[in-house]
Amino acid sequence: MSATVLLQRPACADEAGTWCQRVYDLTNNDWISRSADWVIAKPVAIIVILTVAMLIRALVHRAINRLTTGSADGKVPALLRPLAERAPESLVGPLVSERRAQRAKTIGSVLRSVTSFVVLGIALVLILGVLGLNLAPIIASAGIVGIALGFGAQNLVKDFLSGIFMMLEDQYGVGDTVDLGPANGVVEAVGLRVTTLRDGTGTVWYVRNGEVLRVGNKSQGYSVAVVDLPLPHSADLTQAIELASSVAAEVTSAEPVAEHILEPPEVLGVEAVTPDTVTLRLTVKVHSGQQFMVQRALLAAIKTAFDNAGITEPYQAGRPTAPASPSGSA
């Protein structure tokens, strides 16, 4: 007589529409039916959650890339159009494109990181819920760890937050001449953590964004070329002012200086008086970033005019001449 094995029917097999009931109908296996929730249902739910999350992340990243990519003709990326742009008028062509591209790239990187964190974070919470884990202790532990990391990396967080606001507000960008306190020069790169400057001697400075307490941007709107003219006390100030004014008007009306002038030069008069000198000041409003070129042109022309008019330098007036060497001396 053959032995008959009676298979016990699990209670969940009587629940219509459940995975247990479907698997039992197919296999008539008690263990597989009772494990169907873990073997089939939960893995399928997790795969669906991950697939949807990665799809959403990819679509959002693609949209951000489209918004942060400028066209080939140098147009402003769509993401930057609602934001203020303070690029100096003196920047043209490649520098403007590089400035916009770097700003859009950095903002896009932040948006992509935030998107990934939010989407994957929600997916992780949903997956933990599918697995039946209690989320309250996990969230509390994550909060404590986050606070600890925040205190340990507060300087890094400070640098990143400062970099984000600098980008959004366009406080400065590639090609700007800025004074950041610790260093000053022309901006070569702006990142979320550091700003790269090159000063007049060619030295490259890396300044942490979180350490920038003030920003002096010499390239926004317009600049002022300031020319200080030191004179001896014996000089005829009226003659010097008239001569400086006429020479400045001549220089600023001729190319290549004229194209950078916004307003006629103005001689402000005596700026300072010291025991040795009397200083006259002359100013000209120019396009942003062009003040140094205009200053050099004015100084050279006024120096030549003063020499021709016999207006001596402060320390040259009354300077004793060296005695002649005796004849035949070695």
Side-chain angles (χ1 to χ4, degrees):
M1 178 177 156
S2 60
T4 302
V5 179
L6 298 177
L7 298 178
Q8 182 182 2
R9 181 182 179 88
C12 62
D14 297 327
E15 299 176 4
T18 63
W19 280 101
C20 178
Q21 185 260 335
R22 294 169 185 167
V23 172
Y24 186 80
D25 290 343
L26 292 174
T27 64
N28 289 326
N29 187 289
D30 175 48
W31 181 84
I32 296 179
S33 301
R34 286 186 286 104
S35 304
D37 193 38
W38 278 95
V39 174
I40 299 175
K42 292 184 185 298
V44 169
I46 292 174
I47 291 174
V48 171
I49 292 173
L50 289 176
T51 302
V52 173
M54 297 306 294
L55 180 61
I56 293 175
R57 178 176 175 270
L59 291 175
V60 175
H61 281 199
R62 183 178 180 182
I64 293 173
N65 290 334
R66 290 173 64 89
L67 292 175
T68 56
T69 302
S71 58
D73 56 1
K75 289 185 179 179
V76 181
L79 182 66
L80 299 184
R81 290 171 190 166
L83 303 177
E85 183 177 38
R86 301 186 177 91
E89 297 178 2
S90 57
L91 292 182
V92 294
L95 276 181
V96 172
S97 299
E98 182 182 357
R99 175 192 179 101
R100 290 172 179 169
Q102 196 170 84
R103 186 183 179 204
K105 179 181 178 182
T106 305
I107 296 177
S109 175
V110 173
L111 292 179
R112 285 191 295 270
S113 299
V114 172
T115 300
S116 298
F117 179 79
V118 172
V119 173
L120 297 180
I122 293 175
L124 177 61
V125 172
L126 293 177
I127 290 173
L128 294 177
V130 169
L131 296 176
L133 298 179
N134 187 3
L135 299 180
I138 297 176
I139 294 176
S141 300
I144 295 174
V145 173
I147 293 173
L149 291 176
F151 278 109
Q154 56 182 331
N155 288 333
L156 185 62
V157 174
K158 180 180 178 182
D159 293 340
F160 273 88
L161 291 178
S162 299
I164 291 172
F165 283 109
M166 287 177 183
M167 287 288 180
L168 293 176
E169 298 170 2
D170 197 21
Q171 297 179 12
Y172 53 80
V174 174
D176 281 348
T177 302
V178 297
D179 181 354
L180 300 183
N184 60 80
V186 178
V187 178
E188 290 195 341
V190 180
L192 285 178
R193 198 179 71 85
V194 297
T195 295
T196 306
L197 304 178
R198 188 179 296 272
D199 64 17
T201 63
T203 302
V204 177
W205 296 86
Y206 298 93
V207 182
R208 286 174 43 200
N209 294 332
E211 296 298 318
V212 178
L213 301 180
R214 60 171 177 79
V215 177
N217 195 323
K218 303 177 183 178
S219 305
Q220 289 181 357
Y222 65 88
S223 299
V224 177
V226 179
V227 179
D228 287 332
L229 305 170
L231 300 172
H233 285 274
S234 59
D236 186 339
L237 294 182
T238 302
Q239 178 192 12
I241 291 174
E242 292 177 354
L243 186 57
S245 180
S246 62
V247 171
E250 181 180 349
V251 170
T252 55
S253 60
E255 296 297 338
V257 177
E259 62 179 319
H260 303 299
I261 303 301
L262 296 177
E263 292 183 3
E266 181 182 3
V267 179
L268 302 181
V270 177
E271 176 66 20
V273 178
T274 68
D276 300 314
T277 63
V278 177
T279 302
L280 300 181
R281 172 162 292 183
L282 181 149
T283 61
V284 189
K285 183 181 288 188
V286 300
H287 287 131
S288 58
Q290 300 300 320
Q291 66 271 27
F292 304 112
M293 182 273 290
V294 175
Q295 285 175 6
R296 288 190 290 268
L298 289 173
L299 282 171
I302 294 175
K303 170 66 168 60
T304 301
F306 278 3
D307 290 343
N308 294 336
I311 300 177
T312 59
E313 299 176 3
Y315 299 102
Q316 186 176 351
R319 179 185 297 173
T321 58
S325 301
S327 57
S329 61

